[in-house]
Amino acid sequence: MRITTENLSYSYGENDKTLRVKALSGVSVTVNEGEFFGIIGQTGSGKSTFVFHLNGLIRVQKGCGAVYVGDYDLTDKKCDFKSLRAKVGMVFQYPEYQLFAETVRDDVAFGLKNFFPGLSDKERAEKVRRAIETVGLDYAKVAEKSPFELSGGQKRRAAIAGVIVTEPEILVLDEPAAGLDPVGKREFMNLVHALHGKFVKTVVIVSHDMNLVSENCTRAAVFSHGEIIKTGTPKEIFADERTLENTGLDLPVTAFLEKRLKEKGVYIDSDLTIKDFTDKFAEKFAGVKKQ
Amino acid sequence: MKDVSFGQYYPARSFVHKMDARVKILLAIAYIVAVFLVKSEPEFYFLGFAACFLFVVIATVCSRVPFFKMLKSVKAIIFFVVFSAVLQLFFNKKGTPLWEGGFITDAGLYNAAFITARIILIVLGASLLTFTTSPVEIADGLESLLTPLKFIKFPVHEFALVMSIALRFIPTLLDETDRIIKAQKSRGADFETGNVFKRVKALIPVLIPLLISSFRRADELADAMDARCYSGSKNRTRYKKMKIGWRDLIGTLVLAALITGVVLLNGVLGVAV
Amino acid sequence: MALLQVENARFSYDKKTEALKGVSFSAEKGDYLAIIGHNGSGKSTLARLINGLLTPSGGTVTVDGISSVDKEKCFQLRKRVGVVFQNPDNGIIASIVEDDVAFGPENLGVPREEIGERIDFALKAVGMEEYRKSSPARLSGGQKQRVAIAGVLALKPEILVLDESTAMLDPKGRKEILSVVKKLNEEQGVTVIAITHYMEEAAEARDIIVMSDGEIVMRGSPEEIFLKGAELKKYGLELPYPAYVAEKLKEKGVPIDGVVLTREALAEKLEKLCE
């Protein structure tokens, strides 16, 4: 499923002119199936408002552009938001805060029961098991436990199992690694990569961490004051450092190093992942040494 | 949801804003008493309510709160107003019918107008208090007004602290509720369809996380208060001192005039009729 | 005796497993100490022991000669050790910035005039003077956390403990807090103990303590600590991002000597190599 927004705008407080705040204006972007797409921007730049449009948590306001997700036209009043939400999974910041059921199994099954009430118990149990195992939890150990007995990292995994259990085609994650320790963060990103392409087709990730974006994303969009100021590959986005001006964000380390070296006349043309950057720099350095 | 300004405080630097919160609370109560003093016979209430209305209008002008804001707070309770008016119109069987065989009587009509005016006037006065006095000021003002209750061992300080913390956390919890609702909606939760029983049940996945998060917040808040040396009201000083100034005196005098006027009106017209 | 002296401190929440298994370290006035460790390593328990929110079940914690074992004196201890917690939303008590900053001094019974002075001083120290009359609900995460720091500074503490105070902030907020804390340490001589998950932040400290499973497993300057990438990994930690890039370059035969903690330092080294 491809995501397309056309000239999307949104204002909060539409009933009261004095309180009206424009959160999005004229956002047009396309996310193709299979992408690992980054949404970049400061707090309050409109990222969340944008993302909430993707599964109809926020409805497109009248005359404020259009959103299409696959065959779903989200401006259409008759749009079936429920079936859409089964296909666009959304992982919120600190997703462990939405756990509520008595056992991990029940919590993970919540979405399935809502979206596919017709499933047989056996089918449902199988899907729940698969989701719990996919996020790296030991089904036998955690399924019957209360979600509140799990450790912080496990809780987060359980919460994500509760989102991917409906096998969504698109997975949207808002700052999913926030609050984790360094190793937890790395393991978590490994998990997202493991999901991508197997469990879900497209990943949309909202992040402040430019290193994470340059390391993982195929493309990204930079939000500032409710507008998209740049869309492209990490390379295209970070090539012009003015793009990030006024966003309060830093260049990824690799882009920063490339920029500094360029100023000295040394051109490293990597895709900004650490692997490619270090490969290309090592190559360049070997060349310098020979001279 | 972030823009919900709870308690609808309207920040400004006006005559009324600068008045002492305690005085304003007492004046609001006195004003409501004045509204209630106005007798329900039409010959009294036209003038009595006109006086009260004039008072609110002058106070609003002095408070720099825009009139449309005041009207909005009336709009918020419009259902209640219409409901009471309709009750009076249809169920008041006293007086003479307005038309042959009609079920609406003149007394019913007068009473409906009376109730409507009374409710609106009270809401206007109460909103003026909340528009010009921040929730914190109201909490502090109440604490100060309730101080005499200390003698009967009522924990006035704790009561006020609990109240102001509750006010402080309302916007935070509203935000949180909004987030949890969105998260569960993403997992297919449906809060909009089905019968009452089903809808209440649908709220469980929202209420439990909210409850847990409130406990967690309470825990962290307690730690933060402990860390800042909180130990109850003993030996505690207060940074903000409430002072009664000339504005408070003027306000009190004007209101006293209003009450006297209403009482006189009741008496004078009573004699005249 | 050092300003902060922790000796063989132990603590257990449930009497079965020990969150702290005998921790000893000290800090002098003006120190800037970072404590890092994986989730559940005992960092936050340590923060609560230092300011007397928890009392050690074994060993001692002494600040300025005052022991936290002495319950009578725990206020003396809390006055000297200010803690800023992780979630700025849960640490602010009042609905107006200045009222919140006043909360601590009010609790101590500070006279009214002096509270005003302390608010001035504390808000100025964190650069929030102009928000004095604002409502915290309308501030950004970084600004809220600055207010929380001001609320602690108004107690005039000698030690400032940051218990993952930047974890929930965006990069801009994080930078704000970091620069405020550095300034307090350098200009006011406030002793800082920063507990953090961000290796880049730990690299800013003068000293780092690494904790794992309730014990101190490493202590040294950032240069010393981040030289031992492999050991850190064992404890569930990583190198700061620039150091990690440098590590990868070394593996590919680029001769980078010593530890590189900041992106600037790495850029300079790479520039030199290409000359």
Side-chain angles (χ1 to χ4, degrees), chain B residues 26-44:
Chain B
L26 290 178
L27 288 185
I29 295 170
Y31 165 81
I32 291 169
V33 170
V35 173
F36 272 103
L37 277 177
V38 175
K39 280 194 185 174
S40 62
E41 284 83 12
E43 6 347 280
F44 299 111

Side-chain angles (χ1 to χ4, degrees), chain B residues 2-3 5 134 136 161 164-165 167-169 171-172 216-217 220-221 223-232 234-241, chain C residues 48 51 53 75 78-79 85 87 89-95 98-100 102-110 112 115-116 119 132 138 151 155:
Chain B
K2 265 187 189 129
D3 291 312
S5 51
S134 72
V136 184
L161 187 72
S164 59
I165 286 176
L167 288 168
R168 143 79 185 79
F169 272 89
T172 312
R216 194 185 54 244
R217 285 178 192 280
E220 288 177 22
L221 178 71
D223 267 353
M225 287 171 72
D226 274 346
R228 287 208 260 163
C229 302
Y230 181 71
S231 63
K234 224 177 129 201
N235 300 328
R236 208 167 181 269
T237 46
R238 295 303 295 263
Y239 168 55
K240 282 202 173 137
K241 191 179 183 180
Chain C
R48 284 168 164 74
N51 98 326
L53 282 175
F75 283 96
R78 287 179 193 171
K79 208 170 93 179
F85 295 98
N87 190 340
D89 273 328
N90 299 347
I92 292 174
I93 288 130
S95 309
E98 63 171 349
D99 291 353
D100 187 70
F103 183 74
E106 284 177 339
N107 291 334
L108 293 178
V110 174
R112 174 165 315 172
I115 297 181
I119 296 173
R132 192 174 174 141
R138 296 190 180 274
L155 294 163

Side-chain angles (χ1 to χ4, degrees), chain C residues 174-201:
Chain C
R174 225 151 53 218
K175 273 186 220 157
E176 283 170 30
I177 300 304
L178 214 57
S179 78
V180 162
V181 169
K182 269 180 125 175
K183 210 179 93 191
L184 286 170
N185 177 256
E186 279 160 19
E187 290 172 16
Q188 319 263 0
V190 177
T191 309
V192 175
I193 298 179
I195 293 168
T196 181
H197 274 163
Y198 292 100
M199 299 302 119
E200 283 79 1
E201 278 177 35

Side-chain angles (χ1 to χ4, degrees), chain B residues 190 193-204:
Chain B
D190 184 351
T193 56
N195 55 31
V196 177
F197 180 71
K198 213 178 148 198
R199 284 192 203 192
V200 170
K201 209 180 148 208
L203 284 177
I204 291 174

Side-chain angles (χ1 to χ4, degrees), chain A residues 26-51:
Chain A
V27 170
S28 300
V29 69
T30 300
V31 180
N32 296 310
E33 184 167 306
E35 281 202 89
F36 200 117
F37 196 88
I39 306 274
I40 309 173
Q42 224 185 313
T43 315
S45 59
K47 290 175 303 181
S48 301
T49 311
F50 173 76
V51 164

